[in-house]
Amino acid sequence: MRIGSVLLLLAGLAACNRGNQSKDAIRQGVLDHLSGRSLNLAAMDVNVTAVQFNGDKADATVVFTAKGGNPSQGMTLHYQMQEKSGRWGVVGTEDSGHAASAAPGAPNPHDGGGAPAPAANPHGAMPSPSDLPPTGNK
């Protein structure tokens, strides 16, 4: 009787552990990760298209599109996820082989609203001749 109870308990624990290995759990982890950024998540469809689970780690492919928009015009990101305390969290992001970058013309949900302008010469104009170093005319 004791052995049967122990086996039943172990089987139940194993089932609970696998219960969190779902696309919905991964999607929620991605949404949690993005919730602190200035994004209108309600205007986006966030679809987990593929997940590869490996214990408490997972690799997920997520497609972002505008609600009602053309799925072929969306942005695909690859997330490295890790499960902690029963919840999946993002530990890394890639897009088409480039870490945390957006597809051309699409906003990156990870950059917080755009990259800052370069510190030197933010307007792209040529520097004033008086700002150039001396040439040492000979």
Side-chain angles (χ1 to χ4, degrees):
M1 182 69 176
R2 281 186 177 175
I3 294 175
S5 297
V6 171
L7 290 176
L8 184 60
L9 176 65
L10 290 175
L13 290 174
C16 289
N17 192 22
R18 274 186 259 126
N20 203 24
Q21 290 190 351
S22 69
K23 286 184 178 183
D24 287 336
I26 293 294
R27 182 179 182 277
Q28 187 59 52
V30 171
L31 292 174
D32 291 346
H33 175 73
L34 297 175
S35 67
R37 292 169 172 72
S38 58
L39 295 171
N40 184 0
L41 293 174
M44 285 192 264
D45 285 325
V46 180
N47 296 306
V48 177
T49 58
V51 181
Q52 177 72 37
F53 291 102
N54 186 13
D56 67 344
K57 293 184 169 59
D59 292 314
T61 302
V62 181
V63 177
F64 296 87
T65 54
K67 284 218 187 271
N70 184 348
S72 67
Q73 294 178 344
M75 179 175 58
T76 301
L77 291 172
H78 302 282
Y79 288 94
Q80 292 81 43
M81 311 284 291
Q82 184 163 9
E83 186 180 23
K84 291 182 184 173
S85 302
R87 297 183 65 89
W88 289 96
V90 174
V91 294
T93 308
E94 291 181 12
D95 171 36
S96 301
H98 299 89
S101 64
N108 184 342
H110 297 283
D111 69 4
N121 209 356
H123 303 291
M126 294 293 292
S128 167
S130 62
D131 292 336
L132 296 173
T135 59
N137 291 337
K138 291 184 181 183

